[in-house]
Amino acid sequence: MNALRHMELTFGVAAVAICVAAALPGNIGAHARSEAVAARMPVVVIKGKRLSALEKRELSGANTAARDKGANG
């Protein structure tokens, strides 16, 4: 059977297999999800914003002052 010629049948067989696997009592996927919820994994949220021209000048001035102090210090 050429799978490319029978894509509808292949999809149907795959869909039925997924439904049967989901209906099984020992569903591994549900067990993994329950463990993840029970573990209360921390979520990291990264936020960023663009610096204004004033903030850029302040940062560049602070870095050069620290470098000069360290070099001369």
Side-chain angles (χ1 to χ4, degrees):
M1 179 169 101
N2 188 355
L4 293 176
R5 289 188 183 186
H6 304 287
M7 289 302 289
E8 295 87 5
L9 180 64
T10 304
F11 175 76
V13 170
V16 169
I18 290 171
C19 291
V20 169
L24 291 176
N27 190 353
I28 296 171
H31 180 65
R33 280 192 300 271
S34 65
E35 285 180 2
V37 170
R40 300 286 181 189
M41 294 175 24
V43 177
V44 178
V45 179
I46 300 172
K47 294 183 179 180
K49 67 174 192 119
R50 291 185 178 264
L51 296 175
S52 67
L54 176 63
E55 290 171 328
K56 289 179 183 178
R57 280 195 302 269
E58 288 174 353
L59 287 173
S60 66
N63 288 339
T64 56
R67 269 189 264 135
D68 292 341
K69 189 177 195 180
N72 295 333

